[in-house]
Each structure stands twice: as C-alpha cells, then as structure tokens.
Amino acid sequence: MNLKMGSLFWLMGLCFWVFVFGYSFSTVNADTAGGANVEGTVFIDGKAHIGKIDNDFVCATLDWWPPEKCDYGTCSWGHASLLNLDLNNKILLNAIKAFTPLKLRLGGTLQDKVIYDTEDHRLPCTHFVKNTSQLFGFTQGCLPLYRWDELNTFFKISGAVIIFGLNALSGRSIRPDGSAVGAWDSSNAESLIRYTVKKGYDISAWELGNELSGNGVGTRVAANQYAADSISLRNLVQDIYSGVEPKPQIIAPGGFFDQNWFKEFLDKTTKSLDVITHHIYNLGPGVDTHLIEKILDPSYLDGEANTFSRLQRTINSSASSATSWVGEAGGAYNSGRNLVTNAFVFSFWYLDQLGMASAYDTKTYCRQTLIGGNYGLLNTNTFVPNPDYYSALLWHRLMGRNVLSTSFSGPKKIRAYAHCAKQSQGITLLLINLDNSTTVVAKVAFNGTSTLQHKHKLHRLHRLHKYRHRHRIHRTKVIRFSEGSKTSEMEREEYHLTAKDGNLHSQTMLLNGNILTVNASGDIPPLEPLNVNSSSPITIAPFSIVFAHMPSVVLPACR
C-alpha cells in the first residue's frame, strides 16, 4: 500500500513539474509568438521621488540654418530659420500656446557665427552664405534688430519661455589643430542684452556657445577659458539686470558630455553657472539605414543611461549648484532622417529619452527642433504637427515634477516610467511597447507590497479603441484611495498612441484609435482619454504607447 501511494505521489509530482516547465516555456516564448498576449507587472516605489523636473520640462529648439543647409543630398530646412520663419502662421502660434508654456531654446551650430546688428556693429547686416571653406560651411550671418523685435513680439503672444544662445567664438582665433583660443569678446553680446532689457523683452536664460566643449564640433574651447568666459557673462548679466528680479539664468556649454572637460568646467564655475547643458545624438548620422533597429532595441536605448549617470555623478561630486539640462537632442545628427525622425516610430525614442532623463534628475529636455530639418515637432513646410508633437504635449500635461523609481517585470521590450501626476493627485504611468506582435497586460504594484491583482480573460484586440477586458478581482493589500473618493474617481484615464495603419513610418498619430490633426483654423485637437475602471489591468498593444493617469493612487512621494 505504501509503495503504491509513493508511486502515485511520485507520478503526481512529475505531472506537476511537467506542467510548470511547460507553462514557463510557453510564457517565455510568448514574446515572439504572433499575436501573443503576455502578462507583466510595473513596480513603483512610491516612498520618495528619485528626481525632480522643471514644470516646463519639455523644451524645443529653433535654429539658424538657412534653406541652403543640406545633408546627404537633401535640403530639409526650408524657411524654418530664426531669420525667415513665418511668425504669422496660426498653427505655429497654436502649437506653442498649447503648452502654456513651452520652453524655446534659440541656437544651434551657426549661433557662434551670428553678429547682432546693434549700435556697436558697423558693418552691413548680411545673411549667411554657403561656403564650404568656412567653419561650419557658411559665412557669418547677422541678426537684424527688427527681426529680434518681431521674434520677441511673437514669443510674448505665444507665452513661450526663451533661452537665447550667444556667439561664444567672438574675439577668438582658430589654430590649425582646431582649437579656438583667446578670451571671449562680449561687446556685441552686451549690446544685444542691453537692447533686450531696454525693450522689456523677457529672456529666461542666456546660454554661451554651442558644441565647443570637449573635442568640440568644428572647433573647441578649453574648459578653463570657457569657465572664465562664463564668469564674464554672469557679471555682465548681473550688471545689466541690476534691480531686475528674477535675473536670467546663465547656461553653458551646450556641448557633448566629456567627463574630464565638464568636471574642470564645473569646478571653476561654482558660483557663476546655473545650468550645465549637454547634447544627445546617440543614434548616429541621419543617413544610417539602421535607425529603426536601434530605436526598437531596448539594450541600445539603455546605452544612453551611462551618459546621464556619469553627468549626474560629476555634478554631485563638484561644489557647483548647477543643474543639468539636455540642451539639444535630435537623436540622429545632420538633420535626422525623413519618415523616421519625423514619423511615429521616433516617439519610442523620444518618450524613452524624456523618461530616462527625468530619472537622472535632468530638469529640462530640449528637442531639436520645434520646426526645421527632418526631426521637427512640426512639419517644416506645412507646420502640421508630427507625431512627436502630440507625445510631447501629452507628457507636458500629464507627467508631474516628481519622478518615481519604476521597473517592469515581463517582456523585455516594455519601457516603463512613472511620475506624480501633473496639476492633479495621483500618478501618471508611461508604458512603451517596442514589440511588433506581443500585447502586454500589465498590473501595477507599489513598494513591492501594495498591489491590485487580477484574474481576467483576454480577447484579441481588433480595433484600437477596445481596451476593456472581463475580469474578476482579488484584492490583496489594496492601493490606497483618497478619502471621500466617489465612484467616478475610481477610474483612470488612458491615452493609447498608435501609428495610422500600423505603419511606423506614418506621420499621422492615432489617440485611442482617432486621428490627431489640426482643423481648418489651425487649432490643436483636444487630447481626450479613455476612462477605464481602475481595477482593470493596463493593456499595451504591439508598437504602441500608453499614458495612464491614475488619480486615485496616493503615494508618500506625491504628497
């Protein structure tokens, strides 16, 4: 009898382990199975925030490039320069006003060849002229004061927050080895700043130079000299803005991160620098035919975390009180790539960058560009928003200042970020699915214990706006809801972003299955969410992005 019972138990045990291994194998391989549905869990540590972004974290750039700027045989800039942009375009105005406010960084490669047509400038105010023998491929250009007036009038109407990049090569000579030597000649910049204050124009920050740090792009300035010049700019601003509060911030160097150069620069500008800026073009040249492969590769995306981490350590180990910004990021340099950096697929890279930068306490992130090149938030010719514009706007409206430690357990191609909600209670979760066939159904756990678990039946999604699932709820330790919550407050708001016709190259984005586009008056469309029962899991369809605002979640980090 004992032998028979033992054999029975042994057989039952064998069946159990066969089931376990069979289930594990099917779960592991669900990632690659066509149309697979896989579960996952988002873990959020809500005890304390790990970073704090500016309220106007989202920033975009306006550049100086003239129509003659061409890359790889393509001229993609049109009339998007600060000197020729149509400031009367209604879509442009509405696109900026929708952010209330949008930070705009005015600058780029040619800023270090711009002369300001102020009282101290005695020569004719001429345009940039293409000349391949010249630094950056163009002659010097000039900013007429009437254009500076037009720009500032437009900025005031739009409510934009302005950061202006000053010419940092003025007064220097360039040696055969590519180094720019000599002190910065601040006289022309001083004239522009004095004129700006006299006219009552509101400039939030003055940035010195563009991509002259470290090895530089085209030329470079040594860290000790750059530090001395930044101190000169600080003293100049303090003098000109005497009696004015708050004074504009001092920003530099607007270049690629070089740890030794940045460390020396920070150590010598401990009291003169407010923000240290770095640029990101981690996808390589716009001509690269493998851009989409890189964008959809989680390990490649993770690579940029090393830059953020090293910069954060460099700042924390210095005596400087400066904070860090990404001053310019277009992903792929030399104007990006048409139908990639201005298409739906680029929102995977862009939103992942916003989430990653925030987690490393980056205060502001400036996208290259608002308009111009092949990476504009707006179409260079029509001004119609590209997909990334709506991604940026949703981030701006939903992701609050406090950044939460977030991780994901499940398919490797899910990217997860969470912040305290903006201008409301609760949190906002950002989930990005880089897989082309796997639908992920995610539950959310807080501090490793407080979670809402679900048993549910999955059904195949045929239409993008159908995200409801039948489920039975089993509560363990339930998410805390705010006191006095009504039934309606037990819902969350979801924003599902997908490409039109599932085409990653599409320049049309769908929100909950509906096309996003401006109307005949150039108005930005409303961004309406789906209201979902807060007890249901979050579904992330293949090649999609989901923002989930969860107002009923109360975490210590968000109080």
Side-chain angles (χ1 to χ4, degrees), residues 403-424:
V403 187
L404 304 175
S405 177
T406 309
S407 61
F408 183 79
S409 175
K412 301 302 182 185
K413 287 203 168 186
I414 292 291
R415 315 288 285 181
Y417 300 98
H419 287 218
C420 298
K422 192 168 189 177
Q423 297 179 340
S424 69

Side-chain angles (χ1 to χ4, degrees), residues 228-240 250 272:
D229 300 330
S230 298
I231 293 170
S232 296
L233 175 59
R234 160 71 73 178
N235 294 336
L236 196 64
V237 168
Q238 291 288 322
D239 175 50
I240 297 174
I250 303 301
S272 59

Side-chain angles (χ1 to χ4, degrees), residues 535-550:
S535 63
S536 63
I538 301 171
T539 299
I540 314 104
F543 280 160
S544 76
I545 298 161
V546 181
F547 285 93
H549 173 216
M550 307 169 73

Side-chain angles (χ1 to χ4, degrees), residues 8 172 184 223 337 473:
L8 179 61
R172 305 189 203 274
W184 175 52
R337 185 179 183 88
I473 303 169

Side-chain angles (χ1 to χ4, degrees), residues 166-211:
L166 294 165
N167 179 348
L169 287 181
S170 179
R172 305 189 203 274
S173 59
I174 299 177
R175 289 179 173 174
D177 66 357
S179 61
V181 297
W184 175 52
D185 181 353
S186 62
S187 57
N188 193 217
E190 178 179 354
S191 294
L192 179 67
I193 296 172
R194 289 193 183 279
Y195 177 84
T196 300
V197 173
K198 178 182 177 182
K199 297 287 285 189
Y201 299 149
D202 189 6
I203 304 299
S204 177
W206 297 98
E207 184 176 28
L208 184 61
N210 181 83
E211 297 178 355

Side-chain angles (χ1 to χ4, degrees), residues 281-462:
Y281 287 90
N282 62 321
L283 297 175
V287 73
D288 188 348
T289 57
H290 300 287
L291 291 179
I292 289 183
E293 296 172 33
K294 294 177 179 178
I295 292 168
L296 298 178
D297 182 354
S299 62
Y300 192 92
L301 296 179
D302 286 338
E304 195 59 24
N306 184 48
T307 300
F308 286 115
S309 177
R310 288 191 298 132
L311 175 57
Q312 187 179 43
R313 290 198 304 270
T314 302
I315 294 173
N316 291 343
S317 65
S318 74
S320 174
S321 60
T323 59
S324 66
W325 290 12
V326 172
E328 181 183 313
Y333 59 82
N334 288 343
S335 304
R337 185 179 183 88
N338 190 36
L339 299 182
V340 176
T341 55
N342 54 10
F344 176 83
V345 69
F346 210 52
S347 277
F348 294 141
W349 176 86
Y350 181 40
L351 287 173
D352 189 68
Q353 277 281 297
L354 296 185
M356 184 183 295
S358 299
Y360 285 96
D361 207 30
T362 303
K363 303 304 182 184
T364 289
Y365 192 107
C366 297
R367 166 63 178 263
Q368 174 82 343
T369 61
L370 175 62
I371 186 168
N374 286 318
Y375 36 36
L377 297 180
L378 306 178
N379 183 285
T380 301
N381 300 312
T382 66
F383 292 80
V384 170
N386 286 322
D388 280 3
Y389 172 84
Y390 297 110
S391 295
L393 188 56
L394 277 170
W395 174 287
H396 177 75
R397 292 180 177 178
L398 296 172
M399 304 294 271
R401 297 191 64 189
N402 287 3
V403 187
L404 304 175
S405 177
T406 309
S407 61
F408 183 79
S409 175
K412 301 302 182 185
K413 287 203 168 186
I414 292 291
R415 315 288 285 181
Y417 300 98
H419 287 218
C420 298
K422 192 168 189 177
Q423 297 179 340
S424 69
Q425 63 180 12
I427 67 168
T428 300
L429 184 61
L430 169 62
L431 296 167
I432 302 169
N433 190 350
L434 302 175
D435 193 272
N436 67 344
S437 61
T438 304
T439 296
V440 178
V441 181
K443 60 184 179 181
V444 186
F446 298 87
N447 297 340
T449 57
S450 183
T451 184
L452 204 60
Q453 294 182 342
H454 311 275
K455 296 177 181 178
H456 52 276
K457 296 178 181 179
L458 297 175
H459 59 83
R460 187 177 299 277
L461 299 176
H462 293 289

